[in-house]
Amino acid sequence: MEELDGEPTVTLIPGVNSQKKQMCFDWGPGEMLVCETSFSKKEKSEMVPGCPYIHIIRKDIDVYCKILRKLFNESHGIFVGLQRIEEELTGKSRKAQLVRVSKNYRSVIRACMEEMHQLAIAAKDPAGDSQFSSQISILSAMELIWNLCEILFIEVAPAGPLLLHLLDWVRLHVCEVDSLSADVLGSENPSKHKDFWKLPGNTQTLTELELKWQHWHEECERHLQDGTFASSPHLEALCKIMLGDEAALLEEKELLSNWYHFLVTRLLYSHPTVKPMDLHRYAQSSLDVFLGGESNTEPLDNILLAAFEFDIHQVIKECSTALSNWWFVAHLTDLLDHCKLLQSHNLYFGSNMREFLLLEYASGLFAHHSLWQLGVDYFDYCPELGRVSLELHIERIPLSTEQKALKVLRVCEQRQMTEQVRSICKILAMKAVRNNRLGSALSWSIRAKDAAFATLVSDRFLRDYCERGCFSDLDLIDNLGPAMMLSDRLTFLGKYREFHRLYGEKRFVDAAALLLSLMTSQIAPRSFWMTLLTDALPLLEQKQVIFSAEQTYELMRCLEDLTSGRLVHGEPDAQQLQDDDIETTKVEMLRIGLARNLARSIIKEGSLEGS
Amino acid sequence: MVSVINTVDTSHEDMIHDAQMDYYGTRLATCSSDRSVKIFDVRNGGQILIADLRGHEGPVWQVAWAHPMYGNILASCSYDRKVIIWKEENGTWEKTHEHMGHDSSVNSVCWAPHDYGLILACGSSDGAISLLTYTGLGQWEVKKISNAHTIGCNAVSWAPAVVPGSLIDQPSGQKPSYIKKFASGGCDNLIKLWKEEEDGQWKEEQKLEAHSDWVRDVAWAPSIGLPTSTIASCSQDGRVFIWTCDDASGNTWSPKLLHKFNDVVWHVSWSITANILAVSGGDNKVTLWKESVDGQWVCISDVNKGQGSVSTSITEGQQNEQ
């Protein structure tokens, strides 16, 4: 057995508590069921009251969280947009575009935080309040990490501007920095400072910056040594800080909220032109010095450290463990992948890291009754296992309303998932048949292109007609169009209905021809011929001659065919005799009608026009 | 992170032996030594008792939901040697069929892939496996494989349906010809693979030997579009094997030992969408396993019974009672 680096997480299930009992489990479509049981099957129970609880457990329950809904929705838009513009991302503008996408994601996080903040204020409920505040702090941490990743990995700020970006980063996330900066910067030599920082680095080379800084640093040192600030210990301390004196800086520890704030401040005054590759050394030491061995590192610290070390995989891994859902790592990893920063990491579970995380995130979305629609797009952009994952998930979406069923079907049809379409339509068709909604059943079976089922439903229609003497769902049958060809029985149903329409429109000759063709072309099932012949009777009884002599011969042949095929099965009972009587009468009537028609048609055809 | 999202109080008066979610995850069926089968509506974190089905005269060992295209149908099997099929008609659940063809406890029931029709396989302690096929109008046809396993059959599991290539251009009205297969595990320490022949008879196609004690459970993995077939088996001997067959060759199954546990392994089950294997150990844990890129099976999680609190979900009001 291979080992992952780290023990598998253990989840404790409450209540299942006994030495003798075991845990029974099974999978649902998106969850797991566990309950207490005893596997060794004994006929007699032990008479020990068992635990009657069944626990349903899931991963990714954040998908149910209403507040995060906006986050999921809006980030979905950004994600899809990023995939689509991938081909267009070239050359110099590429980096700028990717940075913009990153900023978009971050603004979505901030918008979500803001909304939660408003809700918390409005709610005025202490329990809800704590829930909100914990969510807000999680989102805040996510934005902090993302921002740092954006600076280090995407923006790839070179030495010089790097510190500016880090300053912004700290300033944005740590409110107190403003007061400290103001303090420190509001020193005796504001002009020198202004000069120094006015330059964004575009017009100066790194070396020039270094020189300027060196010069200023030396001047400060001279001032300190000369005792310029001797009269004011406060100013003296300030000066020491500006020279990057660690001890002095640490004395103001309360003003620094955390170690990365300390790090950036320290760098500001001792190594403002720090290079990215040197960052991690200062980071580690800042962490150690700031904590001073008092407390342990928290997950957030480890993540930030990994970022300063430019270890992208470690960042993703730590985030995956620390956060309760896949949203963050899935989107960040995808973005970094577009920046071509992920090597094909030999992940344990096949495919690459990006796809793995996207699949996990998307699977979680399918648990939700409407967010699944977002999940579809994520699966679409997973080239290896996306399609098959979508096929498995989409069949399990409960088809609670027709509208939802149509949505699901459209997704499947757009992607030529014919098996899924067939299966879903069949489920809906059979449900319709059970509820006697034949029209609905027929349309579902047509959509599924399921010939066998269409035949079954058509048979039901015809049976209904025989019993009630009329058709249901005329609209549907009248407008079948080319779908009629799906099955022979369905074609017959459509054509038979057409016969009735023609008759209704008094287009008797056309109706007659159609009726005959239904029998001679063998499209009509044998069992229905008697009905068809009976339908011919009124046409035979018309004043004018409708069936030609040849047609009449055909009809006669059909009738003889039908009657000669009848056999008597054993002793006929009373009902059967009665039925037989009716049958015999019908046949007699038909024979008379056909004979009469034959005579009339022969005469008509033999005569000259007008006579 | 895994959370308990719902705790259903089944009010069973005795040991629960099986719990199954339906196809969509909206209903839960449970069965117990108290001889009853219960069905709950568990949508949106709720629990509403829909049916309390009585009819068995002994502990009920397993329940299985049929595919939704056939309606709401549930099968149950019991120590009382009976298999009962329950169906929901017009909003109420009723017994629709009772099968009494076994001489001993029926241990396992499993519905075939819906593509084959409505077919139920049942494994019994009398060593036989029976196959019930619904033929319409309330009629069920029975085929029996006697002496499938000496001493007894403990588990049955169907292979996923393989779409035959000729399905695309079927003449209208004709049924496509599937090759139906299932696996069974028994007290003869063997796993057997069964195939339906053209004449409708079931024949033993393969014997898989690796366990040294009674096979307690077999589970055929759902298909994720790859050409290999995979079966998991667990046994009294504490071992769990993963059997794979490269469909190109068709007939060679090779076992790989997933793990040797310290105690009897009773139950293995594949997740429906992610090919994760859940294994129950006698050491009161459920472990989850997944296959890595290089073909090794890795344990990814432990679900452990325990006392006290658990990482709770966002929904308030969870009852974490003992």
Side-chain angles (χ1 to χ4, degrees):
Chain A
M1 180 180 78
E2 266 215 45
E3 296 290 342
L4 277 181
D5 25 44
E7 283 300 302
T9 29
V10 176
T11 306
L12 297 171
I13 303 298
V16 179
N17 167 34
S18 161
Q19 273 97 28
K20 289 215 177 98
K21 307 282 167 46
Q22 289 135 344
M23 201 149 63
C24 169
F25 64 89
D26 249 302
W27 293 97
E31 58 278 294
M32 226 185 153
L33 307 169
V34 290
C35 68
E36 184 185 275
T37 193
S38 171
F39 283 115
S40 50
K41 292 164 174 155
K42 298 196 183 83
E43 185 216 340
K44 295 233 163 52
S45 70
E46 297 169 340
M47 295 309 184
V48 176
C51 171
Y53 296 114
I54 294 185
H55 303 276
I56 302 175
I57 58 182
R58 252 193 190 278
K59 304 186 303 169
D60 314 321
I61 39 92
D62 281 349
V63 78
Y64 296 115
C65 179
K66 280 203 189 102
I67 321 161
L68 293 175
R69 192 82 51 86
K70 191 170 174 180
L71 183 72
F72 298 139
N73 271 311
E74 300 206 359
S75 59
H76 163 260
I78 301 172
F79 172 83
V80 173
L82 174 60
Q83 312 309 309
R84 289 201 185 131
I85 61 164
E86 172 57 50
E87 291 98 60
E88 298 158 23
L89 294 175
T90 46
K92 288 184 190 155
S93 67
R94 188 189 173 89
K95 188 163 94 165
Q97 296 234 44
L98 290 168
V99 172
R100 202 174 313 137
V101 171
S102 179
K103 288 194 189 324
N104 281 342
Y105 274 124
R106 283 198 296 123
S107 71
V108 169
I109 301 175
R110 280 202 302 274
C112 197
M113 276 165 65
E114 182 54 41
E115 190 178 320
M116 272 195 219
H117 187 62
Q118 295 302 324
L119 284 173
I121 295 174
K124 293 178 214 161
D125 152 41
D129 209 36
S130 66
Q131 186 193 329
F132 279 125
S133 60
S134 76
Q135 269 293 2
I136 291 173
S137 66
I138 292 173
L139 284 173
S140 171
M142 293 203 306
E143 213 251 310
L144 177 77
I145 299 166
W146 195 303
N147 198 345
L148 184 61
C149 290
E150 181 186 302
I151 295 168
L152 297 177
F153 305 143
I154 306 175
E155 186 103 49
V156 194
L162 175 60
L163 192 57
L164 272 173
H165 289 290
L166 288 176
L167 254 183
D168 278 335
W169 174 64
V170 166
R171 190 176 294 137
L172 189 62
H173 294 276
V174 185
C175 315
E176 291 89 79
V177 75
D178 278 335
S179 48
L180 180 60
S181 308
D183 248 348
V184 172
L185 291 172
S187 70
E188 288 274 297
N189 305 313
S191 55
K192 292 272 165 66
H193 287 287
K194 277 209 194 93
D195 277 328
F196 187 81
W197 293 114
K198 225 192 319 192
L199 312 160
N202 285 351
T203 52
Q204 299 243 317
T205 64
L206 199 60
T207 347
E208 285 172 347
L209 269 172
E210 283 250 29
L211 276 172
K212 277 222 161 85
W213 183 79
Q214 278 287 67
H215 177 77
W216 172 83
H217 190 92
E218 278 159 19
E219 208 184 301
C220 276
E221 241 173 22
R222 234 180 323 112
H223 276 296
L224 191 65
Q225 274 166 9
D226 289 347
T228 326
F229 304 115
S231 52
S232 162
H234 183 60
L235 280 174
E236 201 172 66
L238 267 173
C239 193
K240 281 187 181 162
I241 287 172
M242 284 202 285
L243 288 170
D245 187 318
E246 245 179 60
L249 207 51
L250 278 172
E251 270 171 43
E252 307 297 330
K253 199 169 167 182
E254 303 87 64
L255 291 169
L256 297 165
S257 36
N258 47 49
W259 64 271
Y260 39 95
H261 185 180
F262 173 59
L263 163 70
V264 172
T265 314
R266 197 183 143 203
L267 288 172
L268 175 64
Y269 295 112
S270 53
H271 304 95
T273 55
V274 62
K275 297 189 183 59
M277 64 186 99
D278 296 328
L279 208 48
H280 71 98
R281 258 187 293 128
Y282 298 112
Q284 184 66 63
S285 62
S286 298
L287 174 66
D288 295 334
V289 167
F290 193 81
L291 290 181
E294 279 165 14
S295 44
N296 293 322
T297 54
E298 300 202 346
L300 178 59
D301 300 325
N302 294 328
I303 295 168
L304 294 174
L305 259 184
F308 285 122
E309 284 164 16
F310 285 84
D311 189 345
I312 296 181
H313 291 111
Q314 189 65 18
V315 171
I316 295 170
K317 195 166 146 196
E318 298 263 358
C319 288
S320 304
T321 327
L323 293 166
S324 64
N325 64 56
W326 298 101
W327 179 87
F328 180 80
V329 283
H331 289 87
L332 180 62
T333 308
D334 173 62
L335 180 57
L336 294 176
D337 189 60
H338 282 282
C339 302
K340 311 266 190 268
L341 288 170
L342 300 177
Q343 305 125 349
S344 58
H345 187 78
N346 242 354
L347 196 65
Y348 278 118
F349 306 120
S351 70
N352 54 53
M353 170 113 74
R354 171 192 170 269
E355 187 160 314
F356 173 77
L357 294 171
L358 287 173
L359 289 173
E360 289 285 341
Y361 174 65
S363 300
L365 289 173
F366 268 82
H368 192 270
H369 63 85
S370 67
L371 287 177
W372 63 269
Q373 293 168 89
L374 304 180
V376 173
D377 286 320
Y378 287 96
F379 279 136
D380 278 346
Y381 290 107
C382 291
E384 281 187 41
L385 293 173
R387 192 188 165 85
V388 69
S389 300
L390 180 57
E391 284 172 2
L392 288 170
H393 279 94
I394 206 144
E395 276 193 298
R396 299 282 175 153
I397 296 175
L399 306 168
S400 39
T401 62
E402 175 140 333
Q403 208 185 18
K404 195 162 180 192
L406 287 170
K407 268 193 204 166
V408 173
L409 277 173
R410 211 172 312 139
V411 168
C412 295
E413 281 163 356
Q414 280 168 349
R415 289 158 183 75
Q416 284 95 46
M417 292 180 171
T418 43
E419 277 310 304
Q420 282 66 34
V421 171
R422 188 176 279 139
S423 166
I424 292 169
C425 287
K426 190 109 185 253
I427 293 173
L428 294 163
M430 292 202 82
K431 193 157 138 190
V433 167
R434 279 194 298 273
N435 291 330
N436 235 352
R437 293 179 289 120
L438 295 180
S440 188
L442 190 59
S443 16
W444 288 123
S445 46
I446 290 171
R447 192 158 181 167
K449 298 197 179 47
D450 190 327
F453 203 69
T455 303
L456 198 145
V457 182
S458 306
D459 268 334
R460 280 286 294 267
F461 265 111
L462 293 167
R463 225 178 31 226
D464 256 12
Y465 169 76
C466 287
E467 280 166 25
R468 300 194 322 211
C470 64
F471 285 108
S472 55
D473 301 284
L474 282 175
D475 259 346
L476 178 65
I477 305 172
D478 283 343
N479 294 309
L480 283 173
M484 215 190 285
M485 298 304 150
L486 181 61
S487 100
D488 279 352
R489 195 55 46 83
L490 183 60
T491 315
F492 171 66
L493 177 65
K495 291 283 175 197
Y496 186 56
R497 167 61 201 148
E498 197 182 318
F499 160 75
H500 279 275
R501 240 193 10 254
L502 290 170
Y503 189 92
E505 290 166 16
K506 300 209 192 303
R507 291 165 55 188
F508 296 126
V509 178
D510 290 331
L514 178 56
L515 185 66
L516 185 57
S517 74
L518 288 177
M519 281 185 282
T520 53
S521 66
Q522 303 291 332
I523 262 192
R526 209 48 183 229
S527 51
F528 216 75
W529 278 21
M530 204 57 211
T531 314
L532 292 173
L533 288 166
T534 317
D535 283 332
L537 265 175
L539 291 169
L540 294 166
E541 302 295 319
Q542 292 278 333
K543 254 206 183 131
Q544 74 218 100
V545 174
I546 295 167
F547 285 104
S548 72
E550 195 176 317
Q551 283 176 325
T552 317
Y553 278 126
E554 282 290 332
L555 282 171
M556 284 167 136
R557 192 182 56 73
C558 288
L559 181 59
E560 291 319 306
D561 227 344
L562 197 58
T563 50
S564 66
R566 296 201 176 200
L567 300 163
V568 177
H569 301 277
E571 280 294 308
D573 58 26
Q575 181 62 37
Q576 220 171 338
L577 280 170
Q578 200 180 26
D579 288 343
D580 279 349
D581 259 347
I582 297 173
E583 283 302 300
T584 324
T585 319
K586 269 200 213 159
V587 173
E588 283 302 315
M589 284 180 66
L590 275 166
R591 286 215 174 102
I592 295 172
L594 284 167
R596 262 216 299 269
N597 195 72
L598 187 60
R600 289 163 67 199
S601 59
I602 289 174
I603 292 173
K604 180 181 169 206
E605 284 158 31
S607 317
L608 292 166
E609 279 293 329
S611 43
Chain B
M1 185 162 103
V2 165
S3 312
V4 175
I5 62 165
N6 197 355
T7 298
V8 179
D9 181 354
T10 62
S11 302
H12 273 300
E13 289 154 1
D14 206 332
M15 191 76 67
I16 299 173
H17 291 290
D18 198 14
Q20 293 283 328
M21 279 293 214
D22 75 342
Y23 194 76
Y24 297 117
T26 49
R27 286 180 172 184
L28 174 66
T30 63
C31 63
S32 159
S33 274
D34 70 4
R35 304 171 175 196
S36 73
V37 173
K38 296 193 186 187
I39 301 177
F40 299 85
D41 180 324
V42 290
R43 279 175 298 178
N44 303 320
Q47 45 185 279
I48 304 167
L49 178 68
I50 298 173
D52 185 339
L53 306 170
R54 310 271 165 170
H56 280 296
E57 287 150 350
V60 188
W61 302 128
Q62 273 193 13
V63 284
W65 288 95
H67 192 272
M69 82 163 61
Y70 298 108
N72 289 327
I73 297 179
L74 186 71
S76 61
C77 64
S78 157
Y79 180 84
D80 69 357
R81 300 171 288 154
K82 290 196 284 200
V83 172
I84 299 181
I85 299 176
W86 315 85
K87 187 171 174 161
E88 190 183 29
E89 292 274 19
N90 303 321
T92 35
W93 281 87
E94 284 156 3
K95 187 193 299 194
T96 183
H97 184 70
E98 203 171 88
H99 172 60
M100 293 179 280
H102 285 287
D103 306 320
S104 193
S105 168
V106 184
N107 302 318
S108 176
V109 279
C110 185
W111 291 100
H114 71 266
D115 317 64
Y116 301 167
L118 195 55
I119 307 176
L120 184 70
C122 323
S124 164
S125 287
D126 66 4
I129 297 172
S130 52
L131 293 132
L132 312 179
T133 307
Y134 186 65
T135 49
L137 301 168
Q139 298 303 308
W140 292 80
E141 180 192 272
V142 181
K143 285 194 194 136
K144 194 164 172 180
I145 305 171
S146 304
N147 290 317
H149 292 274
T150 46
I151 309 174
C153 172
N154 293 323
V156 283
S157 173
W158 287 88
V162 173
V163 180
S166 57
L167 186 57
I168 317 296
D169 301 309
Q170 278 296 324
S172 59
Q174 260 199 312
K175 272 208 170 260
S177 48
Y178 288 98
I179 302 172
K180 302 187 189 117
K181 288 195 196 181
F182 70 90
S184 65
C187 302
D188 50 8
N189 308 350
L190 296 172
I191 296 141
K192 293 192 179 180
L193 305 184
W194 305 87
K195 183 172 140 176
E196 194 190 43
E197 301 280 279
E198 273 164 26
D199 60 356
Q201 293 309 305
W202 287 88
K203 203 177 91 149
E204 180 189 307
E205 194 194 34
Q206 288 264 304
K207 250 196 264 272
L208 305 180
E209 287 186 68
H211 287 293
S212 55
D213 206 336
W214 292 13
V215 176
R216 281 288 166 191
D217 203 4
V218 283
W220 208 308
S223 160
I224 50 162
L226 300 172
T228 45
S229 295
T230 310
I231 297 175
S233 68
C234 66
S235 154
Q236 204 96 10
D237 66 9
R239 291 190 177 80
V240 177
F241 280 103
I242 308 286
W243 305 81
T244 47
C245 171
D246 177 4
D247 283 326
S249 67
N251 283 320
T252 355
W253 289 84
S254 10
K256 182 183 292 179
L257 178 69
L258 177 88
H259 191 53
K260 163 98 176 48
F261 291 84
N262 296 326
D263 200 347
V264 181
V265 184
W266 294 97
H267 189 29
V268 283
S269 176
W270 293 98
S271 78
I272 289 154
T273 49
N275 259 23
I276 299 178
L277 180 69
V279 178
S280 76
D283 50 346
N284 303 324
K285 278 203 269 199
V286 177
T287 44
L288 305 179
W289 304 77
K290 197 159 179 173
E291 192 177 18
S292 66
V293 142
D294 51 359
Q296 293 303 311
W297 285 86
V298 188
C299 180
I300 60 172
S301 187
D302 276 331
V303 179
N304 199 334
K305 75 167 172 70
Q307 302 158 264
S309 61
V310 77
S311 46
T312 51
S313 64
I314 283 182
T315 55
E316 301 287 277
Q318 277 297 325
Q319 277 138 25
N320 296 327
E321 301 166 85
Q322 286 193 318

